[in-house]
Amino acid sequence: MATATSISAETRAKYEPVIGLEVHVQLLTVSKLFCSCSTRFGDPPNTNVCPVCLGLPGALPVLNRKAVEFAVLASMALGCRINERSIFARKNYFYPDLPKGYQISQYDRPLAEFGAIEVPSAKGRKKIGITRLHLEEDAGKSLHEGFADSAETTAIDLNRTGVPLVEIVSEPDISSPGEAYEYLTRLKKIVLYTGVSDCNMEEGSLRCDANVSVRPRGQKEFGTKTEVKNVNSFRFIREALEYEIDRHIGVIESGGKVMQETRLYNANEGKTYGMRSKEQAHDYRYFPEPDLLPLVVDEKWQAEIRRTLPELPEARRTRMVADYSISEKDAEVLTASKTLADQFEEAAKAAENPKRVANLVQSELVGRLKARNLEIEQSPISMRGVAMSADLVERGAISGKMLKDLYDLSFERGKDFPAVYEDEGRPQQSTDTSALEKIIDELIAANPKQVEQYRAGKKTVLGFFVGQVMKASKGQASPQIVNQLLAKKLE
Ligand SMILES: [Zn+2]
């Protein structure tokens, strides 16, 4: 990765980065925040608009109940306290994609406050505070390319105007780009579990701005911060922060002053560029929105929403370790997404040995999906297929090697495991023991010393023989049958 200047590790160690993140998440409502226009992504430009979201004179906003419920649910999942009474406010500024001349947001009375997300850090686990979560409407989109006259003109699409967002603001508790990455990954996972957003970064359903400054270690006051805007992947945010931190240190070390400004990250070059100076903080002239009543989410409504809160990743991990006797690490991988966790549990319940299902999903399924860039939802092998294959191995009907081959065929043909197993004529690993017995007899004759040790009580020698038989059968023999035959012949 490119760096601003060549900052040595020693110089870097003299400074402490201070990072705060602002994340915008689009809520998965069918209609917009204050009107009944559709929120569908990808519709022809300016087709999902009405007088309310166009800001025509006299049009009045009506709050979307579902958006409030989703925002409250997200707040609860992030450990926030819900303010029973919150206030919508007008944030005034001019921008071509904002026809009203103001955005309806929340200011000094946000919907929720005081949450936290726990992340792993260099010193064990660390809590990153969430200052606030508030509801607001999105602005439209300026289109700078894709038209014949794009060189001279900018087009505006107002379909996105008024789409419901929550803005989640962290405390400046984050002290490295790695922690920022962990925070974002966990935030996304938690929000996905609640189902209130699809967090699709390509479609702009999740956007992140990062504030960063550095200060000499031990100093209390913050350094001057810059804001990196509109970075479209968590990996790029980590890279942009790494670049910015080194750039700040470089400026300070050479006797300069960091300028307060907004910067854009160019992922191809791995560099940030100044976009606009922020010497004077924007004055948005916030005032309470006169067309909307205060939002009241009373205890009864809160309790109703809390009942719909699903089991969250952390709790689910702990429970899965207990329920299926799998390791912490297994549980971490298997709860990566709600879908994966749901699917695993479905298979684990259907199969004879949940631990084998956990191993199969991780070693045979996830790897094959990754190699083909597929999501778990697109897997040719269903969880019914995984459960069935796990049981076949468990009972010794097929070997591990046969399972791998059948999985490969499933992926090649895009067919589920049970179908491929049928197509292949329900293959069985050899249960014809005569061939195996011959191998075993030969092994016993060739290894009198080990046979003597076994008969003298050193039962671990059995493992040596099992290994030799498996090798001789090229992995096709059933370990269970080999074990039985060996035990019988060695006695
Ligand atoms: Zn509308």
Side-chain angles (χ1 to χ4, degrees):
M1 198 208 79
T3 48
T5 44
S6 44
I7 305 291
S8 72
E10 279 163 303
T11 310
R12 207 177 278 139
K14 290 196 300 188
Y15 292 89
E16 181 196 16
V18 177
I19 301 164
L21 298 171
E22 287 169 19
V23 176
H24 285 92
V25 174
Q26 184 185 326
L27 301 175
L28 269 180
T29 54
V30 179
S31 59
K32 294 185 181 181
L33 188 52
F34 299 114
C35 62
S36 56
C37 291
S38 168
T39 56
R40 208 168 26 243
F41 181 84
D43 276 358
N46 302 309
T47 50
N48 298 325
V49 290
C50 75
V52 174
C53 51
L54 289 176
L56 299 185
L60 286 174
V62 177
L63 181 58
N64 181 336
R65 187 182 171 91
K66 196 77 210 165
V68 174
E69 289 177 347
F70 278 172
V72 170
L73 198 61
S75 304
M76 287 172 171
L78 295 168
C80 293
R81 200 186 75 194
I82 313 295
N83 288 324
E84 197 171 309
R85 197 181 146 94
S86 61
I87 309 285
F88 284 103
R90 283 193 186 178
K91 181 182 182 180
N92 298 282
Y93 62 96
F94 171 78
Y95 208 74
D97 61 19
L98 188 73
K100 287 206 293 261
Y102 62 86
Q103 180 188 15
I104 304 180
S105 180
Q106 295 187 309
Y107 185 51
D108 49 1
R109 268 317 253 170
L111 177 70
E113 293 172 279
F114 312 117
I117 292 178
E118 234 184 56
V119 301
S121 80
K123 296 176 203 128
R125 295 189 80 74
K126 174 177 172 182
K127 261 193 177 160
I128 309 291
I130 292 173
T131 316
R132 56 189 277 144
L133 181 151
H134 68 251
L135 256 173
E136 64 182 26
E137 58 177 349
D138 206 348
K141 223 190 311 192
S142 299
L143 306 167
H144 305 288
E145 49 198 29
F147 302 97
D149 55 352
S150 291
E152 297 91 47
T153 56
T154 293
I156 308 275
D157 177 7
L158 295 174
N159 282 350
R160 211 177 63 182
T161 312
V163 162
L165 304 177
V166 287
E167 181 174 334
I168 303 160
V169 183
S170 86
E171 290 288 311
D173 289 344
I174 301 165
S175 39
S176 72
E179 279 178 26
Y181 182 86
E182 291 292 341
Y183 169 87
L184 290 168
T185 310
R186 278 166 170 68
L187 184 149
K188 181 178 167 186
K189 195 163 152 182
I190 293 169
V191 172
L192 279 175
Y193 263 66
T194 64
V196 304
S197 174
D198 59 17
C199 294
N200 184 333
M201 291 188 89
E202 271 132 53
E203 293 180 3
S205 304
L206 190 151
R207 285 168 259 162
C208 178
D209 303 333
N211 289 300
V212 56
S213 64
V214 301
R215 60 182 170 191
R217 272 189 199 281
Q219 179 182 303
K220 259 196 125 106
E221 305 86 70
F222 291 132
T224 306
K225 68 178 177 185
T226 52
E227 186 182 20
V228 186
K229 269 188 118 59
N230 298 331
V231 189
N232 62 9
S233 87
F234 293 166
R235 189 165 63 85
F236 290 159
I237 287 169
R238 185 168 59 192
E239 289 176 10
L241 286 169
E242 279 163 0
Y243 177 87
E244 267 305 277
I245 289 164
D246 276 6
R247 192 183 67 82
H248 284 212
I249 295 173
V251 170
I252 296 167
E253 283 285 314
S254 62
K257 261 182 80 179
V258 175
M259 267 223 316
Q260 186 175 342
E261 61 182 349
T262 301
R263 297 177 71 87
L264 288 180
Y265 182 63
N266 182 320
N268 292 326
E269 298 174 31
K271 290 180 179 173
T272 64
Y273 289 95
M275 187 171 89
R276 60 169 182 252
S277 155
K278 263 207 163 178
E279 278 297 338
Q280 276 94 34
H282 281 292
D283 186 352
Y284 291 116
R285 310 240 161 203
Y286 280 100
F287 63 85
E289 166 61 60
D291 292 337
L292 288 163
L293 290 167
L295 170 58
V296 177
V297 186
D298 62 16
E299 269 175 38
K300 189 167 159 269
W301 196 12
Q302 285 185 39
E304 271 168 37
I305 298 169
R306 195 174 288 282
R307 272 198 289 279
T308 67
L309 193 64
E311 185 178 31
L312 296 169
E314 197 107 348
R316 188 162 196 179
R317 235 175 7 245
T318 313
R319 180 181 57 75
M320 277 173 36
V321 168
D323 283 4
Y324 305 111
S325 314
I326 56 175
S327 70
E328 277 281 342
K329 207 179 140 270
D330 288 346
E332 173 80 38
V333 176
L334 294 167
T335 53
S337 76
K338 185 168 181 291
T339 318
L340 181 59
D342 287 348
Q343 301 233 353
F344 162 73
E345 288 207 62
E346 195 190 315
K349 282 187 188 122
E352 288 164 17
N353 181 354
K355 175 76 190 150
R356 187 179 293 282
V357 174
N359 289 342
L360 271 186
V361 169
Q362 291 178 84
S363 63
E364 305 301 338
L365 192 62
V366 173
R368 283 179 173 80
L369 291 171
K370 258 199 190 132
R372 287 165 185 80
N373 239 330
L374 295 175
E375 298 292 329
I376 183 81
E377 291 88 341
Q378 301 163 300
S379 171
I381 302 179
S382 71
M383 285 299 134
R384 194 172 65 91
V386 172
M388 177 183 171
S389 66
D391 285 350
L392 286 171
V393 177
E394 192 68 25
R395 291 175 204 143
I398 61 170
S399 67
K401 164 121 189 9
M402 290 164 78
L403 176 127
K404 280 177 199 289
D405 292 343
L406 290 166
Y407 270 40
D408 283 339
L409 288 177
S410 272
F411 273 82
E412 268 165 39
R413 298 175 188 169
K415 270 177 144 177
D416 201 355
F417 181 88
V420 170
Y421 183 65
E422 286 299 325
D423 290 352
E424 294 300 296
R426 301 176 146 263
Q428 294 274 325
Q429 65 182 334
S430 170
T431 45
D432 170 15
T433 55
S434 60
L436 281 177
E437 284 183 68
K438 193 166 160 269
I439 295 174
I440 291 169
D441 288 339
E442 282 168 12
L443 274 168
I444 287 176
N447 297 283
K449 216 175 102 198
Q450 281 83 352
V451 175
E452 206 176 297
Q453 284 174 338
Y454 180 84
R455 286 178 182 155
K458 200 176 171 203
K459 300 293 175 198
T460 47
V461 177
L462 189 67
F464 160 78
F465 282 108
V466 173
Q468 294 297 311
V469 179
M470 292 307 288
K471 213 164 122 192
S473 76
K474 297 192 175 66
Q476 295 295 322
S478 152
Q480 266 172 323
I481 292 167
V482 172
N483 263 296
Q484 281 167 12
L485 286 176
L486 270 168
K488 204 172 79 192
K489 293 214 175 238
L490 282 167
E491 285 308 326

